[in-house]
Each structure stands twice: as C-alpha cells, then as structure tokens.
C-alpha cells in the first residue's frame, strides 16, 4: 500500500486535512527509526490559495518499533516531483519557506517521544496556477537518525479530478418512536478521473447509528450520532457504489421530525485543519468501531438520482410521534401615536420533540412593527440579527434557532407603533412550521390565538378589511406560510434547508424577553 525506500515501517495513512477518517494499513520491518501517518493520496482543489496558505498535511512522527524515544531525528521533505503540479511551504523546525520558495526542505526534529506531538507543524500545499485537472506528483518524507536505516513515506498529490456525489434521498414517513431501520448510502463519481478510495461522514445531533464497523470511527457513547468511514474502493468515472450491509439507524423516542446527512470526501479536499490530528490521524473525540468491516459494492443507479456538485445526502424523517403546539399572545395596549410592546409565546406540550417550527404574526390593522435597530459596531452585527422576517404585508414570521423539547416555551417580544385607532382591530398569532417537516399536531384548536388591541386616544376609524382568521378555520392544517423553511447548520459547518426566513438567527434586541437557552445545539435537518 505504501512505498518505502529502505526497510522500515509505514503506519496507517490517515486524512491530513480536516478531522475525517482515511484508510488504515501497515507494513512492518525490523527497527524502523520513525513511524508516520500521512495521506497516501491528497487531492488539491484547483481554485487558488486558501486564507491560511493551502491545504495542510499534518506530520506527526513517532519513534519506531515501539521505542519510547528516538534522538537526533532529521526529516527531508522533497516536493521536486510536483513541478508544474503543486508547491509547498513550511515553517518552524522545517524553516519558514514561502509557498514555492523551495522544493526540498530539511528539518531538524531532535528527539521524538512516543505519545507526544512531535510534528514540525505541517506542510502546506496548493496547486500551481495552470495545473491541469488530474495531474499529479509525489511528496517524499525521508526520516533518518544515527545508527538507524532511513525510511521514506510518500503522498501522491493529485489536482482534483474525482467528483463524488451522494444520492438524492426521499423522506421517510411513519417510523415509530424508538424504531430502527436499515439505510444504504450511495456515492457516484461524476468527475473525469478515478477516485483512489473515498470517505463518508454521517452525522446528526439526534439520530443514532447502532451498528459499528472496524473501518469507521464514531463519536462518544454506545450509540453514536456521528460516523466517519473510509473505503479503499477505487471509483472510476461514472460508477456508483453503495454499502453492502445497511447501516442501522435508531430513531429517538421523542422525535417528531428530523433526520441526518451524509457526505463523501476525498483525502485533502476538506480544506484546512485548524487542529493537530495527533498520532491517530483523526479527531481524538472519535473512536474506532469494533465490528466487521463495512464494504461497498457497485450499483447501476442513474446519474440524475444523485445530487449536484458539493451536495449533501439528506434523509428527512417524519415519524409517527406527535407534539401539541400551543400559542399565547399578549394584548397590545397604548395610545394612538405611541408605541407598545407585546410578547408572543410558542409552547411544545409534547410528548414529542419538534424542529422547524415558529410563529406567524399577522399585525392588527392600524399598527406597524418597529424593528430593532442594530448597534453601530459592525463586530456585533451577528449578535443583533433579528429572529423575525417580514414575509408579506403585515405578516411577520419568527422562530427559535433550536428545536423545542417537550415542555419548552419560546417567546419573542415585538414593539408596535399604534398609527390609527381602528374599531375592533384584531391580529392573529399562529404556530407554523416547515412544510417539509410535518408537526403531527393532534390538537389544532390551540395552534392559534387572537392578538387584541386596546387603543385609546385619536379618532376612531372604521376597519377597511376583515380581521384575519386562524389557519384551521380555512382548512390549512399546516399553516398559511407554505414557504416557511427553517435554516439549520450541520457537525461537518454547512447550512441546509431553504426559504428566506432567518429563523436560525438569534435576536439580541434589548426589547426581547428571551426564553432560557436550550441545552442542545441546532437540530438535525
């Protein structure tokens, strides 16, 4: 699997950029001075230099043959084979060399100690301008020490080429709370060059993966909510593969709606890792599985069944669990020409946990909403982004940036200007939710409430339009705003979902009376 110039050892080659698992393998020889984890193949994006100076290939050498220490170790990084393909830069023990300043770098590492971070920072690498798609070359890492034979490790550097895409997934409906089901993700290479193996990350804050495999790593807990698997399978252009044994997915008892995502990756194409991956070559919070190896097999699935470039495989779950949503609105009281506040509440009476829900506020005639003013400091702009969106005339939609657990109450306070004293004016508060994530609310009668106005002063005028009616009265059990799609951020930093409503943004306006912060993070998508 790995080429070594003189008798020596090569440990598992793991992904060097990003906290994702890559393939493992070993070749033993007597008394190697150093062991090293490096990518066997690193794919570089063709699109210029990243802000930190290229993809990082972390070097984490360890003393060889089980030794506790190895003294007077030197390293030579030789990238001369990358001429016309890529260029490197180094720093620290390898010296501060700018990108492309040199092809060969010598590093004095001194004494390596087992279990410690002995890396000389990292080698930063990027494609050179004009590099052809699919072109490649080799980086060689040569370690030497007094009285020991030198050992060489290699990374084959390739310029893009493969384009791995997950399958478009249909929502699952009707799974019972606490049930399990089998799932087979599929991956297709839509690129012009073969992929020399691929990784697969599967993640969700709630859905658990009960069965474990030896070529996957998992988050903490006996039933992890994240998995990172590596397959040595080569994928030719136009070919697709799926896992042979279905991945066992467990649905939480309280889930009403939710889901999980999966995404394929190539070594080196994940960008810059901001932390040292350590001797294991992966996120230290992940642990290897103890079961059999998860294998893949070819499938004949049409190309249009897969996502667009950089897409996610997203499995939405609509279970048979229910959640009783309840709303409450304060009356708006004040004098014509002044402003008044009103607080609106959304409560989940359970028994299920629900995501993608919020409030639709139809403003009473004669009133207008006073939006909070952000502070002048641009550094605090995100802290002041509003949680409400003006979707249509006199209609605002507001919602939490987290799911509602059974018993949770979320509230928001709006300021209204009383422009006119309209006889009998009344607004409407409604619980609404993402049309792609059914709420399974068995009691619709408490999903809406009137917004009463008690205005004084000024000339009393007659209404020009009837007061709004609850959605349940119109037969629309899912709420009026079919475009409502809550935006959720996914473990891998990607934004999913759709629609123009900023529900994932938490308001910091001083006028808002916020409910207690949730103990969990953003919900699954």
């Amino acid at each position: 699997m790995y080429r070594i110039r003189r008798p020596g050892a090569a440990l598992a080659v793991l992904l060097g950029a990003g906290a994702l698992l890559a393939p493992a393998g070993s070749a033993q020889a007597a008394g190697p001075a150093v062991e090293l984890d490096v990518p066997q193949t690193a794919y570089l994006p063709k699109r210029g230099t990243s802000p930190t100076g290229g993809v990082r290939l972390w070097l984490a050498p360890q003393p060889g043959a089980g030794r506790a220490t190895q003294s007077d170790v030197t390293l030579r990084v030789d990238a001369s084979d990358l001429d016309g393909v890529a260029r490197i830069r180094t720093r620290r023990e390898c010296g501060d060399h700018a990108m492309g300043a040199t092809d060969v770098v010598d590093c004095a590492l001194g004494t390596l100690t087992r279990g410690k971070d002995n890396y000389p920072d990292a080698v930063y690498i990027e494609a050179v301008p004009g590099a052809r798609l699919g072109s490649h070359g080799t980086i060689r890492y040569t370690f030497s020490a007094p009285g020991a034979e030198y050992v060489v490790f290699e990374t084959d550097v390739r310029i893009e080429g493969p384009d791995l895409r997950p399958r478009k997934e249909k929502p699952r409906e009707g799974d019972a709370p606490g049930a399990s089901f089998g799932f087979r993700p599929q991956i297709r290479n839509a690129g012009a060059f073969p992929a020399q193996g691929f990784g697969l990350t599967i993640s969700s804050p709630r859905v658990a993966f009960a069965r474990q495999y030896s070529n996957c790593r998992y988050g903490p807990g006996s039933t992890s909510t994240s998995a990172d698997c590596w397959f040595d399978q080569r994928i030719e252009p136009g070919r697709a593969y799926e896992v042979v044994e279905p991945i066992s997915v467990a649905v939480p008892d309280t889930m009403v709606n939710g889901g999980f995502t999966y995404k394929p990756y190539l070594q080196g194409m994940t960008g810059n890792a901001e932390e040292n991956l350590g001797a294991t070559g992966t996120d230290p919070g992940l642990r290897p599985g103890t079961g059999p190896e998860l294998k893949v097999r070819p499938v004949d699935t049409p190309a249009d069944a897969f996502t667009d470039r950089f897409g996610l495989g997203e499995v939405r779950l609509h279970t048979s669990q229910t959640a009783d949503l309840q709303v409450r609105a304060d009356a708006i009281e004040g004098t014509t020409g002044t402003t008044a506040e009103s607080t609106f509440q959304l409560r989940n009476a359970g028994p299920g946990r629900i995501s993608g829900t919020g409030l639709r506020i139809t403003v009473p005639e004669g009133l207008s909403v006073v939006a909070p003013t952000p502070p002048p400091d641009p550094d605090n702009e995100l802290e002041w982004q509003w949680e409400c969106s003006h979707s249509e005339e006199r209609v605002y939609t507001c919602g939490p940036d987290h799911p509602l657990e059974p018993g949770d109450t979320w509230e928001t306070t709006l300021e209204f200007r009383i422009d006119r004293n309209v006889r009998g004016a009344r607004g409407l508060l409604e619980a609404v939710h993402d049309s792609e994530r059914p709420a399974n609310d068995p009691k619709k009668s408490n999903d809406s409430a009137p917004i009463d106005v008690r205005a004084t002063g000024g000339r009393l005028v007659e209404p020009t339009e009837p007061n709004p009616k609850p959605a349940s009265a119109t037969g629309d059990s899912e709420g009026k705003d079919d475009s409502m799609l809550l935006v959720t951020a996914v473990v891998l930093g990607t934004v999913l979902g759709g629609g123009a409503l900023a529900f994932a943004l938490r308001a910091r306006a001083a006028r808002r009376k916020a409910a207690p912060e949730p103990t969990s993070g953003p919900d699954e998508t």
Side-chain angles (χ1 to χ4, degrees), residues 24 92 355 361:
R92 295 186 184 174
S355 61
I361 301 168

Side-chain angles (χ1 to χ4, degrees), residues 33-122:
V34 175
E35 298 169 345
L36 179 69
D37 293 349
V38 285
Q40 179 189 13
T41 305
Y43 290 91
L44 299 182
K46 196 178 177 182
R47 48 185 181 277
T49 307
S50 67
T52 54
V55 169
R56 303 185 189 204
L57 301 179
W58 284 110
L59 303 184
Q62 293 284 300
R67 296 185 180 92
T69 63
Q70 177 63 58
S71 59
D72 298 326
V73 177
T74 61
L75 164 65
R76 168 164 289 190
V77 180
D78 186 348
S80 56
D81 190 51
L82 296 180
D83 184 35
V85 177
R87 56 195 178 191
I88 66 170
R89 76 175 175 93
T90 62
R91 58 180 191 168
R92 295 186 184 174
E93 285 88 342
C94 295
D96 290 328
H97 298 286
M99 197 70 78
T102 181
D103 294 330
V104 180
V105 177
D106 291 312
C107 320
L109 305 187
T111 299
L112 304 184
T113 303
R114 179 164 293 277
K116 290 184 61 178
D117 289 334
N118 302 296
Y119 62 91
D121 191 48

Side-chain angles (χ1 to χ4, degrees), residues 143-422:
F143 290 90
S144 59
E149 295 183 331
Y150 68 83
V151 56
V152 179
F153 303 87
E154 297 182 352
T155 296
D156 184 24
V157 177
R158 294 178 176 266
I159 307 302
E160 287 193 3
D163 177 9
L164 302 186
R165 304 185 184 186
R167 180 182 54 198
K168 300 173 185 176
E169 302 294 344
K170 296 180 180 179
R172 290 184 57 90
E173 299 183 359
D175 288 302
S180 295
F181 64 89
F183 170 69
R184 284 192 174 99
Q186 288 189 3
I187 303 300
R188 179 177 183 269
N189 183 5
F193 296 87
Q196 312 292 334
F198 68 96
L200 186 67
T201 58
I202 312 172
S203 60
S204 167
R206 285 282 164 172
V207 174
F209 305 97
R211 181 71 184 274
Q212 298 197 357
Y213 301 91
S214 59
N215 55 328
C216 301
R217 291 182 181 267
Y218 301 87
S222 57
T223 55
S224 175
T225 58
S226 63
D228 185 348
C229 306
W230 181 265
F231 306 93
D232 284 323
Q233 177 64 51
R234 175 185 170 101
I235 304 183
E236 298 293 338
R239 296 303 305 273
Y241 281 79
E242 71 174 7
V243 298
V244 172
E245 181 177 356
I247 297 172
S248 180
V249 177
V251 181
D253 291 338
T254 61
M255 176 181 284
V256 174
N257 53 33
F260 61 93
T261 61
Y262 70 95
K263 185 176 181 64
Y265 65 87
L266 297 166
Q267 293 176 326
M269 288 291 282
T270 55
N272 292 282
E274 297 304 328
E275 70 284 346
N276 172 36
L277 302 181
T280 60
T282 188
D283 185 340
L286 301 181
R287 52 184 171 75
T290 57
E293 180 182 357
L294 180 61
K295 298 182 179 180
V296 293
R297 64 188 177 193
V299 290
D300 293 325
T301 304
D304 60 4
F306 294 85
T307 66
D308 296 333
R309 185 171 174 83
F310 306 123
L312 280 173
E314 182 182 9
V315 182
R316 292 184 180 270
L317 302 180
H318 307 156
T319 76
S320 60
Q321 182 60 277
T322 62
D324 180 16
L325 298 177
Q326 304 171 356
V327 302
R328 186 183 71 81
D330 287 347
I332 303 172
E333 302 182 21
T335 303
T336 303
T338 65
T339 63
E341 291 185 347
S342 179
T343 297
F344 306 97
Q345 288 188 349
L346 173 64
R347 182 176 185 269
N348 177 14
R353 174 185 191 267
I354 188 169
S355 61
T357 190
L359 292 173
R360 174 186 168 102
I361 301 168
T362 304
V363 180
E365 185 179 357
L367 275 65
S368 57
V369 172
V370 181
T373 303
D377 184 0
D379 293 337
N380 294 327
E381 183 177 353
L382 288 178
E383 291 291 321
W384 281 82
Q385 288 192 57
W386 202 22
E387 63 200 352
C388 296
S389 172
H390 190 190
S391 55
E392 56 185 276
E393 185 178 4
R394 289 178 48 206
V395 175
Y396 287 78
T397 42
C398 314
D401 63 354
H402 55 272
L404 295 182
E405 302 285 351
D408 278 358
T409 297
W410 179 84
E411 65 180 33
T412 188
T413 298
L414 300 185
E415 183 180 10
F416 296 89
R417 184 172 53 252
I418 305 176
D419 302 311
R420 294 176 294 136
N421 187 353
V422 178

